[in-house]
Amino acid sequence: MNSANSTKKIIIFASGQGSNAKKIIEYFQDRNDVKIAHVLSNNIRANVLKMAHDFEISALHFDRTAFYDTHEVLHVLKDAEPDLIVLAGFLWMMPTEIINEFENKIINIHPALLPKYGGKGMYGNHVHQAVLENKETESGITIHYVNEKYDEGEVIAQFETEITPDDSMETLKKKIQQLEHEHFPKVIDQLLSKKA
């Protein structure tokens, strides 16, 4: 088997700043066995597209029509033949055709300990606010496979952080982001090595 075939390919979907996408790209940038094939975003103004360009990674924007009504995005994915599709702060529901085509190859990160605080509308600050309002003593991140329902796919890994009485939205957000940046690239690495 030649080395080109043994290179694992990742495609990243993101909707915003792309801090998780950046950590993943940096984690793998000096590796010959893993390649970020594309970064895709549904937001043409997303910082993540510029950031991908800075790393000389193919960055593609798509709209709702290309994603849901035509097979445009599906064709891009099929052509790339990714080993893993990583949703890093991507807010749209994945179409069934893509989920079926890439079964057990699409993963997402959620800023809470699922099944708590998951589902439609539960993303970013909405999650942290709900966690604080319910006076939880811990929160964390969940990395999970993607299925047809928001945040209901099989859990791959969870990592916790303590919530103290003086935590605010900002401090909790920082704690969660630290967990994401530390663990998400490593879990992706572990999943790819299992697919070897």
Side-chain angles (χ1 to χ4, degrees), residues 56-97:
E56 298 180 352
I57 292 168
S58 155
L60 305 167
H61 164 258
F62 59 88
D63 59 16
R64 203 167 270 281
T65 304
F67 199 48
Y68 291 113
D69 303 332
T70 69
H71 294 301
E72 216 173 305
V73 174
L74 178 61
H75 290 316
V76 168
L77 298 178
K78 277 173 138 175
D79 286 347
E81 297 181 335
D83 294 276
L84 211 55
I85 295 170
V86 176
L87 311 188
F90 180 68
L91 301 180
W92 287 0
M93 175 81 81
M94 287 307 263
T96 308
E97 292 86 354

Side-chain angles (χ1 to χ4, degrees), residues 14-185:
S15 296
Q17 286 298 315
S19 73
N20 272 314
K22 186 173 189 221
K23 290 291 174 192
I24 294 163
I25 290 165
E26 286 173 346
Y27 183 91
F28 290 109
Q29 70 179 348
D30 296 324
R31 293 264 295 269
N32 296 322
D33 59 331
V34 178
K35 175 180 189 257
I36 313 294
H38 300 297
V39 171
L40 281 83
S41 183
N42 57 324
N43 176 2
I44 200 159
R45 288 181 292 281
N47 186 60
V48 73
L49 293 172
K50 179 188 177 306
M51 188 264 297
H53 277 301
D54 292 344
F55 281 96
E56 298 180 352
I57 292 168
S58 155
L60 305 167
H61 164 258
F62 59 88
D63 59 16
R64 203 167 270 281
T65 304
F67 199 48
Y68 291 113
D69 303 332
T70 69
H71 294 301
E72 216 173 305
V73 174
L74 178 61
H75 290 316
V76 168
L77 298 178
K78 277 173 138 175
D79 286 347
E81 297 181 335
D83 294 276
L84 211 55
I85 295 170
V86 176
L87 311 188
F90 180 68
L91 301 180
W92 287 0
M93 175 81 81
M94 287 307 263
T96 308
E97 292 86 354
I98 291 178
I99 292 169
N100 290 343
E101 183 70 33
F102 297 97
E103 197 176 352
N104 292 327
K105 284 187 177 181
I106 309 174
I107 66 168
N108 184 37
I109 191 163
H110 186 75
L113 298 170
L114 293 174
K116 283 181 164 184
Y117 306 106
K120 192 166 169 52
M122 289 307 266
Y123 61 90
N125 288 343
H126 299 287
V127 176
H128 306 318
Q129 189 176 345
V131 167
L132 290 171
E133 281 173 0
N134 285 335
K135 304 205 173 357
E136 297 283 357
T137 55
E138 64 171 18
S139 188
I141 60 169
T142 304
I143 298 163
H144 64 94
Y145 286 108
V146 172
N147 63 14
E148 289 87 357
K149 295 186 177 159
Y150 277 116
D151 306 323
E152 289 187 23
E154 181 195 341
V155 170
I156 299 162
Q158 289 187 312
F159 302 94
E160 294 92 27
T161 185
E162 187 189 353
I163 299 176
T164 58
D166 57 352
D167 266 323
S168 64
M169 174 92 84
E170 280 311 305
T171 60
L172 178 56
K173 192 173 167 179
K174 272 204 180 88
K175 285 180 178 179
I176 297 297
Q177 206 163 46
Q178 276 176 337
L179 286 180
E180 291 175 341
H181 292 171
E182 182 186 349
H183 294 289
F184 203 15

